[in-house]
Amino acid sequence: MKLLLTILSTILICSQFTNSLRILAVFPLNGRSHWIMAESVLTSLAKRGHKVDAITHFPLKDPPPNYRDISLEGSTQTMVNYMKASNISKINAQDFKFLTDITGHKICQLMEFPTLKEVIDNPPKDPPYDLVIVEVFMMPCYLAFGRHLNVPMVAMMTANFQEWFSDIIGTPHNPAYMPSLFSSYDQRMTFWERLMNTFQTNMVSLQLNYYLSEQEVYLKKYFGLNATIAELYGDISIMLINSHHSLNGISPKIPSLIDIGGVHVKNDSTPLPSDLQKWLDESTHGCIFFTFGSMVRIETFPDPLLRTFYKVFEKLAPVRVLMKVAKKEDLLPGLPKNVMIKSWFPQVPILKHKNTKAFLTHGGLLGAQEAIYFGIPLIGIPLFGDQHNNLQIVAKKHIGVTLGSVENVNEETLSNAINTILYNDTYRTNMKKLSQLFKDRPMSPVDTAIFWVEYVGRHGNILQSPVLHLNWWQRNLLDVYGFILACVALILYVAFVLIRKLKNCLLGHTHCHKKGGKSSNSKKNK
């Protein structure tokens, strides 16, 4: 019996090995919030027996077997706790040239970094890569890896689907009910909102696709490819998207767009540090978790705003507050006694704790999904990007309140928002219902991602939209409509000519008949 079990185990291991994929994962953006989603998928793939080489700024301290970091540490300035309040206004101004320079061109230039250049110039051949997973954001130059290695490519989007990708990957996008990523609208818009959303959607798409097309210079320089950025998007086999219909609404998607929203949420038994555990256990009147994410430094905001936070938090006592502050030495003095600050908090264990009653947030998608998973209502102060849209959805679903912008924060508005969430059970009840919807799936987000990655490994590019093989006028049926209009015009013209000829003939016959009658009468009179 033992011999039989040994043989079966050996067969299973060998089967797993022979069916495993060698995967190159390319995540060159130095943003912790962008990496969190990727880390969950890539480590899970490695645990399933696939060999994963990950190009990243965030090498793992304890990687699983089959996982190897190709580290970009030191290649560029870290984006963790780097953003000051003064940087936010420029991003909110929707300066897309600035955005594509910082998160596009500068990221493409990392191809000069030795570890990354080595992968490009000397990819492994024994065995070679079977698949590439690439983040799509503002650096489509990295999509060249699929063509360079001649393997299928999986794209990963760490936000909800972004409208400027719709035409180039062949999926429908209707601004009548699909809000722009940079808007604050939901799916039910007034006429004026639909008008503005249509204008914004098209302007964003035109500008971003124009600036992103400038990265074609890197395709030639580093890969020797004569290709356009649009052509590289056409190489994508599937796209894994950080969205779910319970939060982001219903929209048409081609089969190659796979929703895996919440893939990063790990409902495990990770313990809290002892000081945090004690603080939360003793927060019997409730605790509010306050963070602006991994990038933004709260302590750099103007003193009047920080004093507003202090005054409101102090009045909340005995309710407590956990507040993320990157550098406490830069923080305005006078912190209330019911507030604990740290440069980092384990977010999931805090949101899981029974005494956590509210999440004061900038509206980042990952944090919002974690709050939804654990049923914690939100108090939102959006800063930039998709945060306005995320928090508008939160407000419309009555799972939280939003102050609209940091400029709207004062003692009255902030106090009202916090008290509404703490003492109006409607928001917590609605959040619990949404949490059930968010978690009710045929497969977990991780299993969904792994299935479709393996599917591409088995079958290649069979889920691509046929729209990719059509020109823009063919996609919009302009040639068909033009032909129909030409046919209608021709039929109308022929009908017009026939009617005119018939009219002339009839009128001419009558005229001839009358002339003939007059001639006969004149002869008789003679």
Side-chain angles (χ1 to χ4, degrees):
M1 187 65 179
K2 289 183 179 179
L3 178 61
L4 180 61
L5 289 174
T6 302
I7 293 171
L8 287 173
S9 299
T10 304
I11 291 172
L12 287 173
I13 292 170
C14 290
S15 173
Q16 184 185 51
F17 181 79
T18 55
N19 292 325
S20 67
L21 299 168
R22 184 164 192 183
I23 300 171
L24 175 66
V26 185
F27 288 82
L29 187 65
N30 194 5
R32 179 68 191 171
S33 58
H34 286 251
W35 170 247
I36 290 172
M37 177 183 173
E39 180 184 340
S40 178
V41 173
L42 298 179
T43 54
S44 297
L45 283 166
K47 291 173 183 176
R48 299 289 177 97
H50 301 292
K51 188 172 183 180
V52 178
D53 293 347
I55 297 173
T56 173
H57 295 271
F58 305 96
L60 302 182
K61 294 180 180 178
D62 186 23
N66 302 323
Y67 182 97
R68 180 172 73 96
D69 285 305
I70 301 174
S71 178
L72 297 177
E73 275 191 308
S75 61
T76 186
Q77 179 185 359
T78 180
M79 294 174 71
V80 176
N81 292 325
Y82 93 104
M83 186 176 288
K84 298 180 180 179
S86 56
N87 302 128
I88 294 172
S89 58
K90 194 159 190 178
I91 298 176
N92 272 330
Q94 293 191 12
D95 185 341
F96 293 120
K97 187 177 188 324
F98 169 77
L99 183 61
T100 53
D101 280 344
I102 297 299
T103 62
H105 286 286
K106 289 190 176 181
I107 306 301
C108 292
Q109 292 164 7
L110 291 179
M111 293 180 190
E112 290 283 1
F113 195 67
T115 55
L116 184 48
K117 196 170 188 305
E118 177 66 18
V119 177
I120 297 172
D121 296 339
N122 299 295
K125 295 181 175 60
D126 187 25
Y129 289 117
D130 301 300
L131 188 75
V132 178
I133 302 178
V134 185
E135 181 185 5
V136 287
F137 184 56
M138 298 292 172
M139 56 281 185
C141 55
Y142 285 91
L143 295 174
F145 269 102
R147 192 166 293 198
H148 179 62
L149 299 173
N150 194 29
V151 295
M153 182 163 52
V154 173
M156 189 177 293
M157 186 177 291
T158 57
N160 188 22
F161 186 76
Q162 297 154 5
E163 63 263 27
W164 56 91
F165 290 109
S166 56
D167 282 342
I168 51 183
I169 67 167
T171 193
H173 186 89
N174 189 338
Y177 65 95
M178 299 170 70
S180 169
L181 189 73
F182 292 97
S183 78
S184 58
Y185 306 135
D186 66 356
Q187 288 197 312
R188 297 185 180 184
M189 292 177 262
T190 65
F191 168 78
W192 293 111
E193 287 173 340
R194 284 185 286 116
L195 176 66
M196 294 304 299
N197 189 58
T198 301
F199 176 78
Q200 187 173 30
T201 294
N202 285 283
M203 290 304 298
V204 168
S205 298
L206 286 171
Q207 290 183 73
L208 282 175
N209 285 324
Y210 170 76
Y211 289 125
L212 295 178
S213 67
E214 295 176 350
Q215 294 179 19
E216 290 168 7
V217 63
Y218 303 110
L219 311 183
K220 181 67 176 177
K221 180 177 180 180
Y222 296 111
F223 295 96
L225 292 177
N226 291 310
T228 66
I229 294 297
E231 288 171 345
L232 294 186
Y233 282 117
D235 293 341
I236 295 173
S237 299
I238 62 169
M239 187 179 290
L240 304 176
I241 305 170
N242 191 21
S243 64
H244 189 260
H245 64 268
S246 63
L247 177 64
N248 303 108
I250 306 300
S251 61
K253 290 186 176 75
I254 55 177
S256 60
L257 299 182
I258 316 295
D259 285 338
I260 59 167
V263 71
H264 68 290
V265 183
K266 291 181 173 62
N267 188 12
D268 54 22
S269 56
T270 303
L272 281 165
S274 58
D275 58 339
L276 277 177
Q277 185 69 52
K278 184 174 184 295
W279 177 272
L280 283 168
D281 288 345
E282 293 176 354
S283 300
T284 53
H285 292 84
C287 185
I288 297 170
F289 180 42
F290 177 26
T291 175
F292 279 160
S294 63
M295 294 168 57
V296 178
R297 294 175 55 195
I298 291 176
E299 64 272 22
T300 66
F301 281 78
D303 288 354
L305 179 64
L306 293 175
R307 289 193 184 94
T308 296
F309 284 126
Y310 287 5
K311 289 177 182 177
V312 172
F313 292 162
E314 189 172 25
K315 290 177 183 177
L316 288 174
V319 174
R320 293 179 167 185
V321 178
L322 293 174
M323 178 176 171
K324 175 186 170 291
V325 175
K327 295 183 178 180
K328 64 180 181 180
E329 61 270 20
D330 294 340
L331 188 64
L332 185 73
L335 189 72
K337 293 180 180 180
N338 64 326
V339 179
M340 174 189 280
I341 61 171
K342 281 184 177 291
S343 60
W344 175 85
F345 285 103
Q347 193 155 293
V348 167
I350 288 173
L351 293 173
K352 283 178 63 176
H353 197 281
K354 64 179 181 178
N355 288 337
T356 301
K357 302 301 181 184
F359 184 21
L360 180 53
T361 172
H362 61 310
L365 186 56
L366 298 181
Q369 289 172 341
E370 290 168 355
I372 290 168
Y373 192 94
F374 296 108
I376 305 299
L378 304 169
I379 303 155
I381 305 174
L383 301 178
F384 55 82
D386 65 340
Q387 297 161 14
H388 297 274
N389 184 260
N390 295 338
L391 289 172
Q392 188 68 24
I393 293 170
V394 163
K396 288 292 178 71
K397 290 183 178 293
H398 299 288
I399 58 172
V401 295
T402 176
L403 279 74
S405 72
V406 73
E407 286 78 17
N408 295 334
V409 177
N410 56 51
E411 284 189 58
E412 182 181 2
T413 58
L414 185 58
S415 293
N416 289 341
I418 292 175
N419 287 324
T420 297
I421 294 302
L422 289 179
Y423 304 114
N424 186 336
D425 290 338
T426 301
Y427 293 91
R428 184 169 292 273
T429 300
N430 289 338
M431 183 60 100
K432 294 292 184 185
K433 292 178 181 178
L434 184 63
S435 180
Q436 292 174 351
L437 288 174
F438 188 69
K439 292 186 282 191
D440 191 1
R441 314 186 195 193
M443 287 194 297
S444 70
V446 169
D447 288 336
T448 301
I450 291 173
F451 172 83
W452 287 109
V453 170
E454 292 175 341
Y455 185 92
V456 170
R458 292 192 298 268
H459 304 295
N461 291 352
I462 70 164
L463 291 178
Q464 288 181 324
S465 172
V467 170
L468 296 177
H469 305 291
L470 300 176
N471 293 310
W472 66 270
W473 63 85
Q474 294 171 317
R475 296 183 185 189
N476 295 285
L477 291 175
L478 295 184
D479 52 347
V480 173
Y481 294 139
F483 177 77
I484 292 171
L485 287 174
C487 289
V488 171
L490 180 61
I491 292 169
L492 291 174
Y493 175 74
V494 170
F496 173 75
V497 170
L498 289 175
I499 291 170
R500 188 172 66 176
K501 286 190 175 184
L502 182 61
K503 178 182 176 183
N504 289 340
C505 181
L506 291 173
L507 291 175
H509 177 74
T510 303
H511 181 66
C512 290
H513 179 72
K514 287 180 178 179
K515 285 181 68 177
K518 287 180 180 180
S519 178
S520 300
N521 291 336
S522 63
K523 287 181 180 179
K524 287 180 181 180
N525 292 334
K526 287 181 179 180

